[in-house]
Amino acid sequence: MHHSLIIAMVFVATLSFSACRAGPSGPQVSVEDAWSRPVPAAGGNSAIFMRLVNGGSEADQLLGGVSLLAGAVEVHKTTMEEGVMKMEHSPGLEIPAKGEVSLEPGGYHVMLIGVNRALQAGDTLPITLNFEKSGEMQLEVQVREVK
Amino acid sequence: MLKTRSNVKQAEPAASLIRWPALVGLIALLLTACQSYQFKGTQYPDSQLAPDFELAATNGERFQLSHQQGQVVLMFFGYTSCPDVCPTTLAEARRVLEGLGEDADRVKFVFITVDPERDTPETLGAYVTAFHPAILGLTGAPYELAAVRQAYGIFAEKEVLEGSATGYIVNHTARTFLVDPQGHLRLSYAYGTPPEDILEDIRHLLG
């Protein structure tokens, strides 16, 4: 066999092995259908709801985020105990491997704390979400009329 | 009608003429009784007058519950820094008010703050009217608000969230109360009750 052919084969083999390693391992998180509620005046709080889908083979965690339009962005969970509404600051929300998590009214939400201007239905809100493994993800959130 | 042996055979045809319509009438009566209105909300067992109170309303007036006779009053306790449960409930209130059409004049929805420290009348007013112009925010001195909560069995507790920019949150009972046009505390609704259910109950009470 020619040397160049062997080298080519080894090259292709290495390439395909490294491709195998980089591809499916690690989390693959995407954000779907992110929307938030309107806020009537600056200084108020709001909640962002979304679906977090992880197509990867490793779990990841949503830690929080930042936005130029709010003082702070945190993950919170609403809980109801015997008719009493409570809220917890969640240090991280796990998105299982090959799974998804839905942030919905009554459950988890990304809380916008102290918005610096009113948010009206139809506005878009730029926000950066921070994941433990996937790092930072920038997205535009739709402000929707409360139904 | 007395049946004696002598006239039984003669009376029977006449009796049967009465018997069947009577039976039909009785069944019809039973059916209408079964169809008497079933309230969707949780009913208060006795017809008790709703505990009266007077608070400052965000429309600049004083709101006294006992002066609302003739109106259905819906009450919810919450606060404006609440990002999830309170906006959901106020959005449902909007759907109820919109669903009532002209009858919305006969219904008052009041949002009583459990966070007077942060909910100034201006903040509260801007918040509730953003959902619907007819929703009233009610506030007052902390002791006044505490008295109303106690009268209605409402739990509200400040909780500092360590490491959170929210400062503190207020854990509170999330239940909507309905006072009928005669001033009686009639029904309550759990958080998440479909607005259509509340609408039906209101329509029945408005008559």
Side-chain angles (χ1 to χ4, degrees), chain B residues 9-10 14 23 28 33-34 53 60 87 95 115 123 125 149 153 159 192 194:
Chain B
K9 280 203 181 134
Q10 275 174 310
L23 244 176
C34 289
F53 60 84
R95 276 173 62 186
D115 187 12
T123 309
R149 287 199 298 272
E159 186 186 337

Side-chain angles (χ1 to χ4, degrees), chain A residues 66-88:
Chain A
V66 286
S67 173
L68 287 173
L69 287 179
V73 175
E74 296 173 4
V75 179
H76 281 254
K77 183 179 187 216
T78 300
T79 56
M80 286 282 282
E81 275 171 48
E82 288 172 41
V84 177
M85 184 224 97
K86 297 187 180 188
M87 208 168 64
E88 291 166 6

